[in-house]
């Protein structure tokens, strides 16, 4: 049977055993550590301000609010609402906190505007050689399809000539079935059918018809 002394010694040894330290919570990310998530494009940045609280917080910073407390005071939002909106704007890189407090990162908007300009596709060229005709064709012809026939006769002539030149080789004879198939492709998304289109091309002498055979003349009409 253990003595009192041995019991005390054993209990003392148990008391002296080191205990494992409790796991500490991970440090909160700071503004210096967290890289801002860049909006994919200018529309993404604009989407930040679809929420009223973020728009109000951004406006407050633009007008000189340099601390979260000043933002809360000037926006009339609750501290929690202001902090949430401010955090979102900082995460997206449009607001940053420096030595002088909060400030708008105008360079971010310049980058987005430059990116939008660079990514804008070049205007499609239709090879007409005339800027006025190009403007008409960009309006009424897209991706090799007719959007609609213009109501104005001069514009209609431009579109019909373009269709004839892009569809039929000069001097080649086409049976009516082939002509219909080619013109039907132009009319897939347009409120005009291939028969109407064919009649226009014949009336304007872009196509000559004889015994069910069509031929585009070598000389432009």
């Amino acid at each position: 049977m253990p003595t009192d002394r041995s019991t005390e010694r054993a209990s003392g040894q148990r008391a002296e055993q080191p205990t494992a330290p409790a796991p500490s919570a991970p440090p909160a990310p700071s503004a210096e550590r967290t890289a801002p998530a860049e909006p994919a494009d200018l529309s993404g940045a604009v989407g930040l301000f679809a929420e009223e609280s973020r728009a109000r917080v951004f406006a407050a910073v633009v007008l000189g609010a340099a601390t979260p407390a000043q933002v809360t005071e000037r926006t009339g939002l609750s501290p929690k609402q202001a902090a949430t909106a401010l955090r979102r704007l900082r995460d997206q890189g449009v607001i940053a906190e420096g030595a002088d407090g909060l400030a708008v990162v105008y360079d971010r908007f310049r980058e987005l505007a430059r990116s939008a300009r660079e990514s804008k596709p070049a205007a499609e060229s239709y090879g007409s050689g005339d800027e006025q005709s190009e403007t008409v064709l960009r309006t009424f012809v897209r991706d090799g399809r007719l959007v609609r026939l213009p109501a104005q006769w001069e514009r209609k002539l431009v579109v019909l000539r373009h269709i004839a030149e892009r569809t039929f080789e000069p001097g080649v004879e086409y049976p009516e079935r082939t002509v219909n198939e080619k013109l039907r492709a132009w009319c897939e998304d347009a409120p005009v059918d291939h028969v109407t289109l064919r009649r226009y091309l014949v009336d304007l002498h872009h196509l000559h018809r004889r015994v069910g055979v069509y031929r585009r003349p070598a000389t432009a009409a």
Side-chain angles (χ1 to χ4, degrees), residues 39 41-42 44-49 58 62 89 92-95 103-117:
D41 51 26
L42 191 59
V46 173
L48 285 171
F49 306 106
F58 183 80
V62 169
L89 294 169
Q92 294 300 321
V94 296
I95 284 179
V104 174
V105 184
Y106 292 104
D107 285 344
R108 169 71 63 165
F109 293 98
R110 296 188 188 99
E111 291 171 5
L112 291 169
R114 182 169 60 251
S115 176
R117 288 194 301 269

Side-chain angles (χ1 to χ4, degrees), residues 61 99 186 192 205:
V61 176
W186 283 95
V192 60
H205 305 290

Side-chain angles (χ1 to χ4, degrees), residues 183-196:
L183 295 181
R184 193 179 285 114
W186 283 95
C187 300
E188 284 184 0
D189 303 318
V192 60
D193 57 37
H194 67 282
V195 176
T196 302

Side-chain angles (χ1 to χ4, degrees), residues 171-185:
V172 175
E173 293 185 340
Y174 298 90
E176 186 169 291
R177 181 181 63 185
T178 302
V179 172
N180 289 341
E181 290 175 355
K182 289 179 173 293
L183 295 181
R184 193 179 285 114

Side-chain angles (χ1 to χ4, degrees), residues 10 59 121 124 144 151 169 191:
E124 183 178 356
E169 293 292 332

